[in-house]
Amino acid sequence: MNFKKIALVAVLAVSQVASAVPAFAVAASTTVVPNSTVALEATPTPVLEPEATDPLPSLQPTSVVSPTATPLPVSSSIPTATPMPTVTPMPTATPIPTVTPIISATPEATIQPTPFAGQSLSTSGNNQLVLLMNSNKMYANGILYLANQPMAVKKGVSYVSIRAMVERVGVKFIYDYKTKETIVTSGDNIMRFKTDSKIYTVNGNKVTMKGPAYQYKNTFMIPLTSITAALGIPYTVDNVKKQVILTLNTKPTASFTVQPTEIYAGQTTVNFITSSSSPNGTAIVDERWEGNKQTIYDQPGFYAVTYSVMDANGQWSNPYTVTINVIQPNQPPVANFTTDKDEYKMGEPVTITDLSSDPEGDVLTTEWMNRSLAFFNPGPLSIQLKVTDTHGLSSIFEKTINITTEQLYTREEVEKLFTPQGDVLTSDGGIIPALPNLTYNLSSEPYTLIRSNSPETVNTEGVLYRETAFGATRFLVHHKNNMSTRQKVYIIATNNNLYPTTITTQYVGFAGPASSPEYTGKISVLKYYSSLLNGGNIGSVTLQPGESVPILTDTSKIAMKPGEIISLSADLFSDYPVQYNVIMVEQTKDPLVALPTLPVLDRDGIHNRGTYPDSTRIINVTDVVGTTQSKLLLGDNKSDLNLIGVDPMNGTEASNSGNFGVLYKIKLDRVAPNTLITFNPRGGNYLGSVVANGTIVNLQNKGSLANADMSAVVYRTGQYETSVELMFTVASGSNLPVNFVFTPLPALK
């Protein structure tokens, strides 16, 4: 009989037996054939995809690098086999369900690797997996395994069988028929791969591979660099020996966290929450704590705690150390204050200095009992202060002063002379309408006001305002979302000119979204004043012909929930006419795409909208003010007439009721010595602010001016005549008209 033919038949038989083993790579063995021994290496090499010149980056070359990996020659004839020193029968394969992890076939004997012609191998390193280029041979810790497909190169990317890798690395592998994904589990990390996709996920996070995964002869092939990256396996490339050497980490890992994050000495119970895993799924069987691990730490300081775990193979993890900062327990605050005297006349101002403190520097909440500008009943009087820190600890301090029977000021005199700016003094509001109104010179600055305030309550998506304006332009936008979905307000600027147009944003005040219209109005005006006082010129944008862009983008940063309101006060300048669209659309929509399809919404019949010229009013009073009580009335449409403009959406005349959006610049050239200036609402609740000689004054500091008997202190002059400048704009959500009242102060004693 022809022994070469017998050898070939034997090799094919071995190959068929090996293909029946479900494990992707089995330990190599040889088969005894009568009168001849043929190594398994003689199995014909499958035809591979075209190779690239540089399939893998050379991370740590072990010798001179050859630029091209030479593939094994494919020959129709069987080369002469080199007999192996030991012959071991092929183990019988046991079928395993597809969706369970593949169980590795265990080699029965260690096979010394056989090098290719002219090649020496490095295959005996501990915890190393050596892949031979263009071959299905793999050496794990010196033991030869055969993969079901050779390592291949496709379009410059080196591919390996995913089964070949995960089996030898020792991690779990399943196939999910529902999602059609190959799933690799390593410790707490779950990786999912799909055929013909360059994307795989690690715990849901997408990662891009160098090439798409693909199927070849029922084998799932993926880029080698993707699986090494996914599993965190370092590797080196030896192009001379034509091998890739992977260094496998078989140590378990350990970590822990400490709860809570703030630990106080002697008070806090410390919980140590551990986490551990093994890269190859080996069970964790032991743990070890080192350092200063305590449930309660008695003293403040830094404590190092170290945690390690051991797996079933007896391998210990690297130690994991956390340094715990144990801080001094929270101490209660210290309430304290002083008075400038211990004894006072009736009506004599009591000056109190708060000296309270907190050991940790917390911001303290204060509560006063019996604190007043002055007292009007003789006898001993106790003043009490309670302070509370952010942790809820409190402290109380009390001091007793004595009030004599002698009187210095009346109650009314005390309020006029000593009430702080922004605080309220009570008076008979009924006398104010009868006071004489100041005589003044009125002029204006040419700011075009766009007031978008109707429909104030918006029930459907649409265009709230559309206007073309040029030069100095002021916006007042105040709207409420009355829809069931979250909405955004956009102001879109469109350049319909033949030339580029630049829009410069000068001053901006924005508030919201919030549920209170008075609050959003107050905060937007407050921020607008701050912008004015800080010099403005926030930024600019240049629009090309035909271009549209959202501007004043604070309005759309946060979507409005149902029932919420936004308020905007803003000044800008354009060097050419610009079309402005104020729109409200559902939060996920692109405003530029939605704009052409949006309807123009009607007015609500209650609130105002319109375009008004000359919206900066300059009031100049040249007469002496404050020698007798007088007032300056604004927003009544009699002494202070409404701006007249147009509603551009329907072409009708519009009257700016209340003159919302108008900036009043009030110049009082001569204010008498010892003059009190107060702010008094006449139309109902008011919540806003005013600028007095460069200082922003709240109206009022706490709460709102709820009725006409309440007046907030704006300014006091001193002993000499002086000029006073006021800036005022009506806060959206508040009521008109309002008065500035000028009152002579009583003499100081």
Side-chain angles (χ1 to χ4, degrees):
M1 180 181 291
N2 189 323
F3 286 103
K4 287 187 178 181
K5 289 183 179 180
I6 294 175
L8 177 58
V9 170
V11 168
L12 293 175
V14 171
S15 177
Q16 291 173 359
V17 171
S19 66
V21 180
F24 77 96
V26 296
S29 60
T30 55
T31 303
V32 179
V33 179
N35 302 323
S36 177
T37 301
V38 181
L40 189 60
E41 290 174 296
T43 304
T45 303
V47 179
L48 303 178
E49 297 281 345
E51 296 183 21
T53 56
D54 188 15
L56 283 172
S58 182
L59 300 183
Q60 300 176 12
T62 56
S63 59
V64 178
V65 177
S66 175
T68 305
T70 306
L72 289 175
V74 178
S75 174
S76 58
S77 60
I78 305 300
T80 303
T82 302
M84 301 296 285
T86 305
V87 177
T88 304
M90 174 66 72
T92 304
T94 303
I96 296 173
T98 307
V99 295
T100 57
I102 304 300
I103 301 175
S104 174
T106 304
E108 296 186 7
T110 300
I111 309 293
Q112 295 300 319
T114 303
F116 295 111
Q119 180 188 37
S120 62
L121 298 177
S122 300
T123 60
S124 60
N126 291 331
N127 295 329
Q128 285 189 342
L129 176 63
V130 180
L131 311 179
L132 302 189
M133 297 181 184
N134 309 308
S135 171
N136 64 342
K137 292 184 177 181
M138 312 169 67
Y139 292 91
N141 298 328
I143 300 175
L144 173 63
Y145 292 85
L146 301 179
N148 51 349
Q149 288 298 331
M151 179 174 160
V153 178
K154 185 176 181 181
K155 295 182 179 179
V157 179
S158 295
Y159 285 82
V160 293
S161 163
I162 193 168
R163 290 189 179 187
M165 286 295 297
V166 300
E167 177 99 349
R168 294 280 65 80
V169 170
V171 296
K172 297 178 181 179
F173 162 88
I174 62 171
Y175 181 77
D176 189 333
Y177 285 100
K178 291 183 179 179
T179 63
K180 298 183 179 179
E181 292 174 314
T182 299
I183 303 173
V184 177
T185 303
S186 174
D188 295 331
N189 296 317
I190 299 175
M191 291 143 277
R192 293 174 176 268
F193 299 84
K194 281 189 175 182
T195 304
D196 300 325
S197 174
K198 294 179 69 174
I199 304 297
Y200 73 95
T201 62
V202 181
N203 298 330
N205 299 315
K206 294 182 179 180
V207 183
T208 302
M209 301 187 290
K210 291 184 177 180
Y214 68 93
Q215 290 280 349
Y216 179 72
K217 293 186 177 180
N218 296 321
T219 300
F220 189 58
M221 306 289 286
I222 60 170
L224 174 61
T225 53
S226 67
I227 194 65
T228 55
L231 297 175
I233 302 173
Y235 66 88
T236 59
V237 180
D238 189 339
N239 283 319
V240 173
K241 297 179 180 179
K242 295 179 173 44
Q243 59 187 19
V244 181
I245 304 169
L246 284 70
T247 302
L248 305 181
N249 175 29
T250 60
K251 282 186 177 182
T253 59
S255 65
F256 68 94
T257 58
V258 178
Q259 296 293 335
T261 55
E262 287 189 347
I263 299 173
Y264 294 97
Q267 293 183 352
T268 307
T269 299
V270 183
N271 296 312
F272 295 85
I273 303 170
T274 62
S275 176
S276 60
S277 63
S278 171
N280 53 17
T282 305
I284 304 299
V285 297
D286 197 4
E287 65 178 9
R288 179 169 62 207
W289 292 94
E290 297 173 286
N292 202 327
K293 179 176 179 284
Q294 300 180 34
T295 303
I296 296 179
Y297 291 88
D298 294 329
Q299 299 298 323
F302 293 92
Y303 298 86
V305 179
T306 300
Y307 179 60
S308 307
V309 297
M310 186 184 77
D311 65 15
N313 294 327
Q315 288 201 89
W316 282 96
S317 67
N318 292 328
Y320 183 87
T321 301
V322 171
T323 299
I324 302 171
N325 180 18
V326 179
I327 57 182
Q328 182 73 28
N330 179 52
Q331 301 297 313
V334 178
N336 190 22
F337 67 88
T338 62
T339 57
D340 58 326
K341 297 167 63 175
D342 292 331
E343 186 172 271
Y344 297 86
K345 300 173 184 178
M346 289 189 296
E348 183 177 0
V350 178
T351 301
I352 296 177
T353 303
D354 187 352
L355 301 176
S356 301
S357 62
D358 184 80
E360 291 80 33
D362 277 4
V363 176
L364 300 177
T365 302
T366 60
E367 298 177 61
W368 292 91
M369 293 180 61
N370 286 339
R371 181 176 183 175
S372 180
L373 293 173
F375 298 95
F376 299 92
N377 295 311
L381 186 138
S382 176
I383 302 173
Q384 188 182 89
L385 170 64
K386 178 181 178 181
V387 294
T388 306
D389 67 13
T390 56
H391 298 272
L393 296 183
S394 299
S395 173
I396 296 175
F397 180 80
E398 187 173 1
K399 181 179 180 179
T400 300
I401 60 174
N402 187 52
I403 310 300
T404 69
T405 57
E406 186 179 357
Q407 184 157 0
L408 184 63
Y409 295 109
T410 66
R411 190 181 299 273
E412 183 180 358
E413 288 173 334
V414 167
E415 287 191 347
K416 289 180 179 179
L417 286 168
F418 303 111
T419 299
Q421 272 185 309
D423 279 1
V424 172
L425 53 85
T426 57
S427 60
D428 182 5
I431 68 172
I432 293 177
L435 297 176
N437 204 50
L438 295 183
T439 301
Y440 54 82
N441 298 316
L442 181 64
S443 59
S444 62
E445 293 176 356
Y447 260 96
T448 299
L449 170 64
I450 293 175
R451 181 179 176 186
S452 179
N453 188 205
S454 186
E456 182 172 281
T457 300
V458 184
N459 299 312
T460 183
E461 294 180 359
V463 176
L464 306 171
Y465 206 92
R466 175 173 291 161
E467 179 62 288
T468 297
F470 165 61
T473 306
R474 176 168 294 139
F475 282 88
L476 178 65
V477 179
H478 184 77
H479 293 287
K480 175 181 179 179
N481 173 22
N482 199 39
M483 289 170 269
S484 60
T485 57
R486 295 194 180 197
Q487 301 287 313
K488 286 187 175 183
V489 172
Y490 295 90
I491 300 172
I492 299 174
T494 302
N495 178 14
N496 292 321
N497 305 294
L498 299 177
Y499 311 99
T501 297
T502 299
I503 300 173
T504 301
T505 302
Q506 298 169 315
Y507 317 112
V508 174
F510 174 76
S515 58
S516 168
E518 295 88 354
Y519 173 80
T520 59
K522 174 186 176 179
I523 300 302
S524 65
V525 166
L526 190 68
K527 291 181 178 179
Y528 176 72
Y529 288 151
S530 297
S531 184
L532 280 168
L533 296 176
N534 291 331
N537 293 325
I538 295 172
S540 63
V541 59
T542 298
L543 279 65
Q544 298 304 314
E547 185 180 8
S548 295
V549 297
I551 62 169
L552 303 173
T553 54
D554 285 344
T555 63
S556 57
K557 284 183 179 178
I558 302 175
M560 304 164 65
K561 297 177 184 176
E564 288 189 329
I565 298 155
I566 59 103
S567 289
L568 171 76
S569 296
D571 292 350
L572 52 79
F573 183 90
S574 65
D575 54 4
Y576 286 99
V578 175
Q579 184 188 74
Y580 299 103
N581 281 276
V582 182
I583 67 171
M584 186 182 288
V585 293
E586 198 273 330
Q587 63 173 340
T588 62
K589 292 185 179 180
D590 185 327
L592 298 179
V593 173
L595 177 58
T597 65
L598 294 175
V600 175
L601 303 182
D602 292 332
R603 292 176 294 185
D604 58 22
I606 301 172
H607 302 91
N608 186 271
R609 74 180 183 190
T611 301
Y612 304 100
D614 304 324
S615 64
T616 296
R617 283 195 167 171
I618 301 173
I619 294 175
N620 186 215
V621 180
T622 58
D623 296 334
V624 177
V625 176
T627 54
T628 60
Q629 197 171 23
S630 59
K631 70 176 188 298
L632 175 62
L633 180 60
L634 301 177
D636 67 334
N637 199 27
K638 293 179 181 178
S639 57
D640 179 37
L641 297 176
N642 292 348
L643 284 175
I644 302 301
V646 64
D647 182 342
M649 274 75 78
N650 56 28
T652 59
E653 183 178 275
S655 176
N656 187 16
S657 177
N659 277 339
F660 286 83
V662 172
L663 178 64
Y664 292 90
K665 294 182 178 180
I666 304 167
K667 176 72 180 296
L668 307 165
D669 291 340
R670 303 177 63 193
V671 182
N674 302 314
T675 296
L676 171 66
I677 304 175
T678 57
F679 181 91
N680 175 249
R682 305 307 303 177
N685 192 52
Y686 195 92
L687 186 64
S689 55
V690 63
V691 178
N693 278 2
T695 299
I696 299 174
V697 181
N698 288 313
L699 304 170
Q700 60 169 321
N701 287 327
K702 295 181 180 179
S704 63
L705 300 174
N707 56 67
D709 290 333
M710 302 174 70
S711 294
V713 174
V714 173
Y715 195 80
R716 288 186 185 90
T717 61
Q719 298 179 15
Y720 304 99
E721 182 182 292
T722 187
S723 64
V724 176
E725 293 185 1
L726 305 173
M727 277 197 304
F728 174 70
T729 187
V730 182
S732 294
S734 288
N735 297 282
L736 276 292
V738 297
N739 285 299
F740 286 96
V741 181
F742 306 88
T743 305
L745 287 169
L748 288 171
K749 299 177 184 180

